[in-house]
Amino acid sequence: MKWTEHGIARAVALQTLERKCVVLVDNCNWTGHECDILGVTTDLRIIDVEVKISRADLKADAGKDKWWHRQGWGLQGPDKPNIHPRKVWKHYYAMPAEIWKPELLACLPSPASGVLLLRQGRPPNASVIVSCERRATPAKDAYRLKPEEALDIARLANLRMWEAYRRRDQAVDDLKCKQRLVAA
C-alpha cells in the first residue's frame, strides 16, 4: 500500500479521535504552529497529531520551532526544549508501522509524545488499522479553549468541508468533460 498524509490523517481521525473530539481540522495553524490534525476534545483541550511517512520526516520534526522555547533576539542563554507544543494537551505522531523501530523513540523531540502506528488490514476487510504504540502524556497545565475559540475552530472546519465538496465537484466535472472529449 502507498501511504499518504491524507490517508493516514483520515484513518486517525475516524478511528482514534472520532469519539474524543467535537471537531477535527487538517493542516491547521491555530496553535501558532502547524498541526497535521488539530482535534478539539469534548472538554475543550487540543490534541495535535503530526503525520509522518518516512523516518527522515520523523527525525526532522525535532528541529521545528514548536519544540523549542527560543530566548529571543539579543537575549542570553540557550534555547530550552518544550515538552508539549504551545496550547496542546496531547501530542501524537502517526505513521505507517513499517517505518517504526523502537530506537526512533530517542529521536522524538518530547518524551510526552505518543505514537500511533497504521497497518493495512487483511481481506475481506482490508481497511487501515490504527494502534497506539505509546500513549501521549497529557500536559497538566494545558490551555483550555474558550467557547468562542472552539467555535472559531469549528467554523474553520466547516469552511474547509465546503471547499472540499467544491473541489470534488470540480474534479467530477473535469472527468465528465474528458470522457465527452474521448467519446467525440
Side-chain angles (χ1 to χ4, degrees):
M1 171 178 196
K2 174 144 173 65
W3 294 102
T4 65
E5 182 179 315
H6 291 289
I8 292 171
R10 183 175 47 254
V12 169
L14 296 177
Q15 291 183 42
T16 306
L17 299 177
E18 175 185 40
R19 291 188 183 102
K20 296 174 181 74
C21 295
V22 293
V23 67
L24 297 163
V25 185
D26 66 329
N27 297 65
C28 184
N29 290 313
W30 191 88
T31 63
H33 299 286
E34 190 263 335
C35 303
D36 292 330
I37 306 170
L38 181 139
V40 177
T41 65
T42 55
D43 62 351
L44 302 181
R45 295 186 208 191
I46 292 175
I47 297 175
D48 173 0
V49 180
E50 284 293 318
V51 175
K52 301 299 173 190
I53 57 173
S54 72
R55 288 184 189 115
D57 188 20
L58 177 66
K59 291 175 182 179
D61 205 67
K64 287 184 177 178
D65 282 344
K66 72 165 63 182
W67 294 112
W68 294 95
H69 176 75
R70 308 283 184 199
Q71 293 298 330
W73 192 78
L75 297 176
Q76 297 296 318
D79 294 337
K80 296 177 186 167
N82 289 330
I83 299 299
H84 293 91
R86 192 168 62 96
K87 297 184 180 180
V88 171
W89 177 55
K90 286 185 179 180
H91 179 271
Y92 282 94
Y93 286 102
M95 69 197 79
E98 58 263 22
I99 70 169
W100 178 253
K101 295 193 275 186
E103 306 87 77
L104 290 171
L105 281 173
C107 299
L108 299 182
S110 171
S113 292
V115 176
L116 302 172
L117 301 180
L118 288 85
R119 292 175 177 79
Q120 181 64 46
R122 297 183 184 192
N125 299 335
S127 62
V128 173
I129 299 165
V130 180
S131 63
C132 184
E133 176 72 13
R134 181 171 86 169
R135 291 198 174 281
T137 304
K140 292 185 182 353
D141 60 346
Y143 181 78
R144 281 191 196 255
L145 297 170
K146 298 175 191 143
E148 57 270 16
E149 291 171 323
L151 288 173
D152 187 43
I153 294 170
R155 179 181 163 278
L156 174 62
N158 184 34
L159 292 172
R160 289 201 179 168
M161 177 192 69
W162 292 111
E163 179 60 21
Y165 284 157
R166 185 196 64 74
R167 287 192 313 268
R168 182 208 56 201
D169 291 346
Q170 183 63 51
V172 168
D173 290 346
D174 290 348
L175 181 61
K176 287 178 182 176
C177 183
K178 287 178 185 177
Q179 289 171 339
R180 282 194 297 267
L181 288 173
V182 169

